[in-house]
Amino acid sequence: MVTAAEPLPRATAHRPRAVAVRHLGPNWYATVMGTAVLATAGHRLSPAPLALWAAVWSLALALLAVLLTARALHWVHHRDQARAHLLDPATAPFYGCLAMALLAVGGGALTVGRDWTHSGAVVVLGAVLFAAGTAVGLAAAVAVPYLMAVHHRVRLSQASPVWLLPLVAPMVSAAVGPLLVPWMPAGQARQTLLLGCVALFGLSLLATLLMLPLVFARLLTGGPLPLALTPALFLVLGPLGQSTTAAGQFADAAPGVLPAPYAEGLRALAVLYGVPVTGFALLWCCLAAAHVLRAHRHGMRFAMTWWAFTFPVGTCVTGAESLARHTGLAAFGWLAVGLYVALAAAWTAAAVPTVRGLVSGELLAAPRPAPAAPLPATARTR
């Protein structure tokens, strides 16, 4: 383990390359999620510039491959740090990001990739990533709350939107799975996959409804979150936008798969569920934005939590686009476009300093130890 007395490890020419990944946490998968949703949401709004969406999705696929390799090196060469991440209540929930990164790229393969290449291999890739992401997501949804209850000893004052991450992953599976329904054999296989996605929808939704009051209560009674953690408030949009998207996907996949009453029921669910949830998502978006503006005025600097501005907003884009199709209302279409503009700006704001931090090595360096005691009021700094 690195102690305060040890020098900060950095990747240099005379050190093993694995040293560079010692402090590479699971939160880095958020870069894959944000990049993938930039492609899939844009493709759903306007498939016309297909080469652009394909290029962005290919970037997300490449990022996923690089991070899977880097994280494998992390587990092989730095198991002590990997175990420390699992036992850290601030880091363990980010294991949900691994599942969502796999699912986000898999969903892109089944939409952007399929339209771009017209290849069955891309569909196979999407199916493999969906299966792997669902398995990892279900494991995280069980394991992380278990660790929090048994090993982490967390307090209500520590409640954070980050706690939602392992619980949202099954909802991403619920939204991606219906894209595979047409590729399954007709009959039982299609029905099982679709209703299995509905079950994942319920699993994630009910778990989120249990966790969200803790986050809101912490915000009201404990005051604003720390500056670096403030962007994480946007994570609450994830289950809201993704569940609206999933409900729309159920409605699209159900005709011809489920008996007529259930197919019609899912079509009604897409609107009757999606509209009020989108209303709450807009309320939370305004609240989170107000907190971020406050944090900016108080000196908030770039941190990897800025990637929370991307994927959750992207799910609201796809949710609004789904409502536009199922209601025929132009207002939802314009809402989707406006949110996508915000998504593109947020992705740029997060990606540019991330690349800069990687080039400088700052983002992969060990966290700097906090001072043992606050500096005296008369202390001078240079």
Side-chain angles (χ1 to χ4, degrees), residues 57-82:
W57 173 73
S58 299
L59 174 61
L61 179 61
L63 286 173
L64 178 63
V66 169
L67 278 173
L68 287 174
T69 302
R71 288 286 297 165
L73 290 172
H74 179 270
W75 272 94
V76 169
H77 296 284
H78 305 289
R79 293 181 183 176
D80 61 327
Q81 190 73 1

Side-chain angles (χ1 to χ4, degrees), residues 299-328:
M300 180 183 72
R301 297 178 179 273
F302 170 75
M304 288 299 291
T305 50
W306 281 31
W307 284 96
F309 296 141
T310 57
F311 186 77
V313 174
T315 66
C316 292
V317 174
T318 55
E321 184 276 334
S322 176
L323 287 175
R325 285 188 295 105
H326 287 101
T327 64

Side-chain angles (χ1 to χ4, degrees), residues 8 47 51 71 73 101 105 114 119 131 140 158 168 177 215 231 251-252 257 270 365:
L8 299 180
R71 288 286 297 165
L73 290 172
V105 175
R114 179 175 57 83
S119 171
Q158 297 174 289
V168 180
V215 176
D252 294 338
V257 176

Side-chain angles (χ1 to χ4, degrees), residues 32 42 52 76 118 181 257 313 341:
V32 179
L52 173 61
V76 169
H118 301 285
V181 168
V257 176
V313 174
V341 172

Side-chain angles (χ1 to χ4, degrees), residues 226-231 291-303 306:
L227 296 184
L229 193 58
T230 301
H291 275 264
V292 168
L293 289 175
R294 173 194 172 276
H296 176 71
R297 291 196 302 268
H298 285 75
M300 180 183 72
R301 297 178 179 273
F302 170 75
W306 281 31

